[in-house]
Amino acid sequence: MYEDMERVLIAEDEIARRVRELGAEISRDYAGKELLVVGILKGAVIFMADLVRCLNIPVRLDFMAVSSYGASSESSGVVRILKDLEQNIEGLDVLIVEDIVDTGLTLNYLRENLLTRGPASLKICTLLDKPSRRKVNVQVDYNGFVIPDEFVVGYGLDYDGRYRHLRDILILKRQVYCGKEQRENCT
Ligand code: XMP
Ligand code: MG
C-alpha cells in the first residue's frame, strides 16, 4: 500500500497534537453553548471523530454528503447535496467540519446553503488548507495545517475511495493519479 505513496506529509502524532489544540480552542470559543457539529462525508469522519472527543462542551453531531471529485482528483466546481442534514439548524450554533479546503468551491456552497437555514452562528473547521489552489474566497475559522499543492490521502482522505484508514497524512505518488485524468499539475 505504501508503495503508492511519495512520503508522509503529517505523521499521526503531529495530527493528534494539533487536533487536541483545535479542540481546546473550539471549546473555549463556545463555552456555555451547545454546538451542532456537521461532518462532511466521507472525508471528514476520522478527523471529526477525534476532534469531537477533544471538546468539553455539549455537542450534537449531524452529517452531510456532497458530490465533489468522484474518482477524480480535480474539482468539477459543481456541488450537489447527496445527503442532507437530519435536523433543522435554525437558531443553533453550527460548526462545519471538513477534511480539506482546496478550490474552496465545496465549502463556499455549503456555507451559503446552511446560512439560508437561519443558524444562530456558522463557522468552519478544516483539517487541511491548500491555499495555492483557491478559486473562491472562503473564511475558514479553524484550520489544522496549511499544506502545499500535493494530492494527499489518509486520515479520512481518499483517492478513488481508498486509503482513508491510514493513520498518517501521505502524499500520493503522481503516477497513481496522472494519466488517469488531466490534473493541472500533471506535467
Ligand atoms: P474544493 O476544491 O471544493 O474541494 O475546496 C474540497 C474537496 O476536495 C477533495 N480534495 C482532496 N481529497 N486529497 C483528497 O483526498 C486531496 O489532496 C484533496 N484536495 C481536495 C476533498 O474531498 C474535499 O472535501
Ligand atoms: Mg471531501
Side-chain angles (χ1 to χ4, degrees), residues 69 98-100 102-106 130 150-152 157-158:
Y69 288 6
E98 174 63 307
D99 51 0
I100 183 166
D102 187 22
T103 62
L105 293 165
T106 306
K130 259 190 217 178
E150 299 282 1
F151 198 82
V152 293
L157 292 119
D158 73 304

Side-chain angles (χ1 to χ4, degrees), residues 17 34 101:
R17 199 177 334 118
E34 184 180 67
V101 51

Side-chain angles (χ1 to χ4, degrees), residues 40-44 66-69 72-77 79 98-108 128 130 133-136 138 147-154 156-160 162 164 170 172 183:
I40 309 305
L41 297 170
K42 303 167 188 154
V66 292
S67 68
S68 51
Y69 288 6
S72 155
S73 64
E74 190 64 14
S75 184
S76 62
V79 180
E98 174 63 307
D99 51 0
I100 183 166
V101 51
D102 187 22
T103 62
L105 293 165
T106 306
L107 276 173
N108 191 52
L128 305 174
K130 259 190 217 178
R133 284 171 41 90
R134 201 71 93 250
K135 287 183 181 159
V136 287
V138 231
I147 63 164
D149 183 15
E150 299 282 1
F151 198 82
V152 293
V153 297
L157 292 119
D158 73 304
Y159 175 69
D160 203 9
R162 301 198 175 86
R164 293 193 197 276
L170 301 117
L172 191 65
R183 192 167 189 266

